Amino acid sequence: MTDQRRRAAHTARVLALAALSALLLLAPGVARAADDDAPRIQAPSAIAVELSTGDVVFGRREDVQRGIASTTKLMTALVALEHEPDLSKRFTVPAYAASAGESLANLHAGDRMTMEDLLGGMLLPSGNDAAAAIARSVAGSIPAFVRMMNDRSREIGLDARFRNPIGLDAPGHHASASDLVKLTLLLRRFPAFRDIVDRRSMTLDSASPAITVVNRNTLVQEYPWVDGVKTGHTRSAGYALVGSGRRRGISVISVVLGDPSEAARDADSIALLRYATSKYRRVRPLRKSTVVGRLPLRYRDTKVDIVAAATVTRTAERSEKLQTRVIGLPRDVEGPLRRGARLGTIEVLQRGKVVARIPAVTATPVEAATFWERLDDGLARGWVRFLIGLGVVCLVVLAVLVRRSRRAR
């Protein structure tokens, strides 16, 4: 790997870790499934997370480490995407000696295939041959790639450990449902990943001849709002699925591990996705041009409306209320000011934390006060009238004194 590619890979890892920390550590709150309408699922380990809030909507032994089968390929994809950002780059497909029953993309040894097509062959049909090709392409060998997988796992704070890039059962090869959510959050930063896992099928044009692969995640096939992510199955690990979906503007990730059958896996996953999306709604606690205050104009007996400069849209639990408060406004306003001049800030609070700051601006232009308005305003003030009166008295007294002085002469 060249120095330039090493620097790019390091930068990608730093950005990924920062993004993950921001979402997982700064999330406003965490909820747990305790409702009567929580889905009855068979999976011994499961989780559902709402992405905007970071809430764990449903959790069942989600931190328990266990076999994860081909959902392992999510870590394989992450390492590949972070180290090979040019997805059009071609790599030679090595020969792969498959055991009976392995899932394959049926790649042709010796083909020069793009990284994008290798990812498609790995993620959609769960091709073990594609996963092995990616590992050798990125690291030179499978053992070297596995070291990269485990190094990355430690860097992002996962308890997951890997013995191969495919997901074959092996002692010490494990992850938790929570680990897989964190991996998926990092992968969703890559548009190519989001595009691939949301496809029903994909034609690998860089293969010769071209290969068409079909997504093994049947939920993507059946539900338009489901957009990923990865299936898995081995005899030891059972059936697994990392799912994702967006419905009515609510985005969620689900994970089920250890299900007894493919049907149970799919039923559990769609139940979790439906449940999690149903618990939230998109709300607008602040709309553009909403009047949040009225400030008096200096030297005039009128006021100017102060309004929100933008609309704020947030995801919230259905019973949740968001608050707003205005800070930093002056006591009055002196022109000239253009329409939209910022005079303060509107804060939107969710669960006691500020989640948005929007400028509070003038709804209309404010002209400069005229001389007569300034004079009239001054005359209307009591202290000004007092000073004027005092000045008149002083003038009268001075006039009397001058007159007496003239008479004395």
Side-chain angles (χ1 to χ4, degrees):
M1 182 181 294
T2 66
D3 290 342
Q4 184 176 5
R5 286 170 60 192
R6 287 194 184 93
R7 288 194 294 271
H10 176 72
T11 301
R13 288 195 294 271
V14 171
L15 292 174
L17 185 57
L20 181 65
S21 300
L23 184 55
L24 296 179
L25 299 181
L26 302 181
V30 172
R32 301 288 300 184
D35 300 335
D36 292 337
D37 61 341
R40 305 297 191 263
I41 67 171
Q42 297 184 57
S45 182
I47 191 173
V49 176
E50 196 286 312
L51 299 191
S52 292
T53 61
D55 288 349
V56 177
V57 189
F58 182 99
R60 173 186 291 173
R61 292 185 286 277
E62 67 271 25
D63 294 320
V64 173
Q65 296 290 309
R66 58 181 301 126
I68 58 170
S70 282
T71 59
T72 295
K73 294 181 174 85
L74 294 177
M75 178 57 88
T76 305
L78 180 65
V79 174
L81 286 164
E82 290 181 343
H83 286 79
E84 294 295 346
D86 182 5
L87 299 186
S88 65
K89 186 175 180 179
R90 290 177 179 257
F91 300 90
T92 301
V93 175
Y96 182 77
S99 302
E102 284 194 46
S103 55
L104 300 171
N106 296 314
L107 305 185
H108 316 306
D111 273 359
R112 295 279 295 171
M113 294 185 63
T114 64
M115 179 57 71
E116 182 174 13
D117 280 354
L118 291 175
L119 287 168
M122 179 180 71
L123 293 169
L124 295 186
S126 200
N128 293 353
D129 49 351
I134 288 172
R136 289 193 172 97
S137 298
V138 172
S141 70
I142 288 179
F145 188 84
V146 171
R147 286 193 293 273
M148 294 171 69
M149 295 171 72
N150 286 311
D151 288 345
R152 193 69 181 103
S153 182
R154 294 184 186 93
E155 286 175 359
I156 58 180
L158 305 186
D159 292 326
R161 294 296 179 265
F162 304 94
R163 295 294 176 264
N164 58 76
I166 292 171
L168 300 176
D169 292 325
H173 188 104
H174 55 76
S176 68
S178 294
D179 289 338
L180 293 175
V181 168
K182 296 171 187 177
L183 274 177
T184 305
L185 288 172
L186 288 175
L187 283 163
R188 283 170 59 90
R189 297 178 306 111
F190 296 94
F193 174 82
R194 296 196 307 271
D195 174 63
I196 290 171
V197 298
D198 190 27
R199 295 189 189 189
R200 295 183 177 185
S201 64
M202 179 175 174
T203 299
L204 313 182
D205 290 317
S206 59
S208 181
I211 301 169
T212 297
V213 294
V214 177
N215 196 340
R216 295 174 69 96
N217 183 359
T218 57
L219 298 186
V220 172
Q221 312 279 2
E222 297 174 15
Y223 301 93
W225 56 274
V226 175
D227 53 20
V229 178
K230 185 71 190 76
T231 62
H233 170 252
T234 65
R235 182 174 298 179
S236 176
Y239 289 84
L241 175 59
V242 180
S244 66
R246 181 176 177 84
R247 190 165 63 148
R248 297 188 296 272
I250 308 301
S251 295
V252 298
I253 293 173
S254 68
V255 180
V256 295
L257 299 176
D259 256 316
S261 67
E262 186 173 326
R265 176 199 74 188
D266 290 351
D268 284 352
S269 295
I270 198 64
L272 287 174
L273 292 170
R274 282 174 170 159
Y275 173 74
T277 55
S278 72
K279 305 298 287 184
Y280 292 81
R281 61 193 175 102
R282 296 289 282 172
V283 297
R284 290 187 176 88
L286 186 66
R287 293 179 181 270
K288 184 177 180 179
S289 300
T290 297
V291 177
V292 296
R294 302 191 75 213
L295 293 180
L297 300 183
R298 196 175 300 174
Y299 311 120
R300 284 157 283 185
D301 193 23
T302 56
K303 295 183 178 182
V304 62
D305 288 340
I306 305 301
V307 299
T311 296
V312 174
T313 304
R314 297 287 298 177
T315 296
E317 292 182 84
R318 291 202 166 272
S319 60
E320 187 177 356
K321 303 295 184 183
L322 279 67
Q323 294 81 41
T324 61
R325 66 186 178 197
V326 185
I327 61 173
L329 289 180
R331 296 180 62 180
D332 56 18
V333 177
E334 181 177 3
L337 291 175
R338 62 176 177 82
R339 177 188 177 186
R342 182 170 187 165
L343 295 179
T345 300
I346 309 164
E347 293 184 336
V348 179
L349 293 91
Q350 185 173 11
R351 304 175 187 179
K353 294 184 179 180
V354 176
V355 295
R357 290 183 173 90
I358 300 298
V361 302
T362 54
T364 56
V366 177
E367 302 294 337
T370 66
F371 169 80
W372 299 109
E373 286 173 331
R374 290 171 181 265
L375 178 61
D376 182 63
D377 178 74
L379 292 175
R381 299 177 185 272
W383 63 272
V384 173
R385 292 197 300 270
F386 171 77
L387 289 177
I388 292 175
L390 181 61
V392 171
V393 170
C394 290
L395 288 173
V396 170
V397 170
L398 180 61
V400 170
L401 291 175
V402 170
R403 187 174 181 181
R404 285 180 179 177
S405 174
R406 288 176 177 175
R407 286 179 179 176
R409 291 177 185 174

